[in-house]
Amino acid sequence: MKTVLITGTSSGYGRETALHFHAQGWNVIATMRTPRPDILPESDRLRLVELDVTNPESITAAFEAAGPVDVLVNNAGVPSISVFEGTSTAYVREVFETNTFGVMATTQAVLAQFRERGCGVVVNVTSSVVLGHMPLSAVYKASKMAVEGFTASLALELAPFGVRAKTVQPGACLTTNFADKAMNGGSWDELVPAPYAPWAKKAMDSFTGQDLFTKESDVAETVWRAVHDTTGQLRFPAGPDAVWLAQAK
């Protein structure tokens, strides 16, 4: 029986991915900054482990607690919507600490065991923002584009050892409350300098008014497909809007 470790399983894509792998009969290590037993089913094939991907000690402890794993799904991330002119350098670093450096750190934690066994898969969840020109996402897109580049090179390094690396690119999902989380308790006025306000409102209205959206289950099913893919495909758009963007490129 195979084991998957998934980061950021307290809600959204991570939670749905944990449920999907569990339903397929896998052992699931569901990690969260603050474990909440009430949001996932009780099962001898599902364990909750505390993990803060920005904390090296937390990463070490989590992987020691998890034991050997066959698949790592790097799903933990922080959303960000802002106009870059009004974005502090401290906030940029905060986004990159989780979305980029956290992915690199957890990946590095499993590579030795994968290489030594001659098998294993790393799936890094990025975003469909990497597929098109989207406003209000300069920092977020930069953090996810970095992971795309990292994974592309990583896949080449790992291939001689029978280890695979993939990215999954979710589209826009209204039920994850991306916009509310992206504001991080701030107001629209704080995130968008006044001169940008009319344009930014138009951009947000266009985003929320689009016809195609992604469901959490789209992402979970695409992660599953990426894990089992042996064709050499690197990138997997998830959700109808992401697939449309990928095909339009």
Side-chain angles (χ1 to χ4, degrees):
M1 191 181 299
K2 292 191 174 182
T3 299
V4 59
L5 186 149
I6 307 167
T7 69
T9 60
S10 62
S11 64
Y13 305 145
R15 179 177 180 275
E16 191 67 25
T17 301
L19 292 171
H20 187 79
F21 274 78
H22 181 262
Q24 301 301 319
W26 280 47
N27 288 321
V28 176
I29 310 296
T31 75
M32 313 174 191
R33 281 188 182 180
T34 305
R36 293 173 50 200
D38 58 309
I39 63 173
L40 289 168
E42 286 189 25
S43 169
D44 58 1
R45 290 188 293 103
L46 196 155
R47 279 198 292 146
L48 266 60
V49 173
E50 182 177 347
L51 172 60
D52 179 350
V53 301
T54 68
N55 184 311
E57 291 78 16
S58 178
I59 293 171
T60 299
F63 280 90
E64 286 178 353
V69 299
D70 300 285
V71 172
L72 167 65
V73 178
N74 280 312
N75 167 77
V78 293
S80 172
I81 294 176
S82 63
V83 169
F84 186 68
E85 183 181 331
T87 305
S88 70
T89 301
Y91 180 67
V92 174
R93 292 182 185 279
E94 182 181 328
V95 171
F96 269 77
E97 282 293 341
T98 298
N99 290 3
T100 308
F101 303 138
V103 168
M104 292 179 174
T106 52
T107 298
Q108 198 164 49
V110 298
L111 291 188
Q113 63 168 291
F114 285 179
R115 174 179 50 75
E116 289 165 4
R117 290 205 308 266
C119 62
V121 186
V122 177
V123 175
N124 294 328
V125 179
T126 61
S127 169
S128 64
V129 73
V130 306
L131 297 171
H133 303 298
M134 300 183 187
L136 302 172
S137 64
V139 174
Y140 184 71
K141 181 171 183 174
S143 71
K144 295 296 189 177
M145 286 290 284
V147 174
E148 289 281 340
F150 163 69
T151 310
S153 184
L154 181 70
L156 300 176
E157 294 178 16
L158 299 179
F161 303 101
V163 180
R164 289 169 283 140
K166 315 280 187 178
T167 66
V168 166
Q169 304 160 326
C173 184
L174 295 184
T175 51
T176 59
N177 297 318
F178 180 96
D180 291 339
K181 293 177 182 176
M183 292 188 179
N184 197 27
S187 68
W188 184 252
D189 291 340
E190 292 171 323
L191 294 170
V192 180
Y196 291 90
W199 167 84
K201 183 180 184 308
K202 184 177 179 181
M204 281 299 293
D205 289 345
S206 175
F207 170 75
T208 56
Q210 67 186 48
D211 294 327
L212 297 175
F213 287 99
T214 294
K215 303 189 301 291
E216 285 97 336
S217 58
D218 294 329
V219 179
E221 290 162 9
T222 304
V223 171
W224 176 262
R225 186 160 56 90
V227 165
H228 291 86
D229 177 78
T230 56
T231 68
Q233 182 176 340
L234 174 65
R235 300 180 174 93
F236 292 76
D241 52 328
V243 170
W244 182 86
L245 283 168
Q247 292 172 343
K249 286 190 73 175

